[in-house]
Amino acid sequence: MVNNVLHVQIIGSEGALYTQTGDYNAGRWNTTWTPVAGVTGLTNITSVKADPYVRLVGIANGKAYGRDLDTRTGNWSVWGEIPGGITGVKDITSARVGHTVQVQVIGSDGALYNQSADYLAGMWKPSWTRIGGTGLTRIASTPAANNVHVYGTGTDGKVRNTTFDTVVGNWTNWREIPGTLTGAADLTAIAK
């Protein structure tokens, strides 16, 4: 939510991007979903708030792309591939810590990869960093203070977690979330 307006993006059945807004001050939603031109072939999307922007990243044709919505003007930036040349991307998530958006993907090898964009400096890092893990099928992330917590399910149906300390730049080892759950198909996470 940016300035009490909720911005929702979806992937249509044809793989295109659509957006909708709910104005909480006015107590209403727009009357229609608006197509966002220039984006096709989407399979997964995620977004983060960075006042006054919505930073959207997604997967199209096995690659990771990004685009920003300026909520003051309603204008979208150009849809572009995130630097680093990763291919075979299976899932994507993102979290913002300070002025940096941290993007995680599951690569073609089933491992976790990370890339970051410093929006004060106006640039992405030149390459993706392989974090590790095996057999990942779905991921979710959430920021908490200076950390990004990433949760993932694997082919064994168990849920695991790793944490990125953005101050020192270290990731923890993957560890299973207690509770002996198996069969997890999808997940989401949020921290206060």
Side-chain angles (χ1 to χ4, degrees):
M1 188 170 307
V2 180
N3 296 324
N4 225 22
V5 176
L6 184 62
H7 296 268
V8 178
Q9 293 82 40
I10 64 162
I11 300 170
S13 60
E14 78 290 7
L17 182 66
Y18 294 83
T19 189
Q20 170 66 289
T21 57
D23 186 333
Y24 277 50
N25 291 330
R28 64 170 178 76
W29 286 91
N30 284 345
T31 57
T32 61
W33 287 88
T34 304
V36 179
V39 182
T40 59
L42 284 168
T43 56
N44 301 71
I45 56 174
T46 184
S47 62
V48 296
K49 171 184 126 173
D51 288 336
Y53 299 96
V54 173
R55 315 265 188 213
L56 180 109
V57 292
I59 303 169
N61 305 311
K63 297 180 179 179
Y65 292 85
R67 189 169 207 178
D68 299 333
L69 168 64
D70 185 331
T71 63
R72 299 166 297 186
T73 64
N75 294 326
W76 286 88
S77 67
V78 175
W79 184 241
E81 186 176 346
I82 296 173
I86 196 163
T87 59
V89 176
K90 299 176 181 178
D91 199 12
I92 193 165
T93 187
S94 60
R96 181 180 64 91
V97 176
H99 296 284
T100 303
V101 175
Q102 302 288 338
V103 178
Q104 296 83 37
V105 299
I106 299 174
S108 60
D109 60 353
L112 183 72
Y113 290 78
N114 189 72
Q115 171 61 293
S116 60
D118 181 338
Y119 279 87
L120 282 183
M123 58 188 259
W124 288 92
K125 287 190 173 182
S127 61
W128 291 85
T129 302
R130 188 178 192 279
I131 307 307
T134 58
L136 292 171
T137 56
R138 301 294 290 175
I139 52 175
S141 63
T142 187
N146 292 318
N147 297 319
V148 175
H149 300 281
V150 179
Y151 299 86
T153 60
T155 52
D156 61 2
K158 296 180 179 180
V159 180
R160 292 177 176 80
N161 163 256
T162 182
T163 299
F164 180 44
D165 182 330
T166 64
V167 174
V168 297
N170 291 337
W171 287 84
T172 63
N173 292 328
W174 284 97
R175 57 193 170 272
E176 187 176 339
I177 303 297
T180 64
L181 173 79
T182 59
D186 202 357
L187 70 163
T188 186
I190 191 166
K192 277 187 153 184

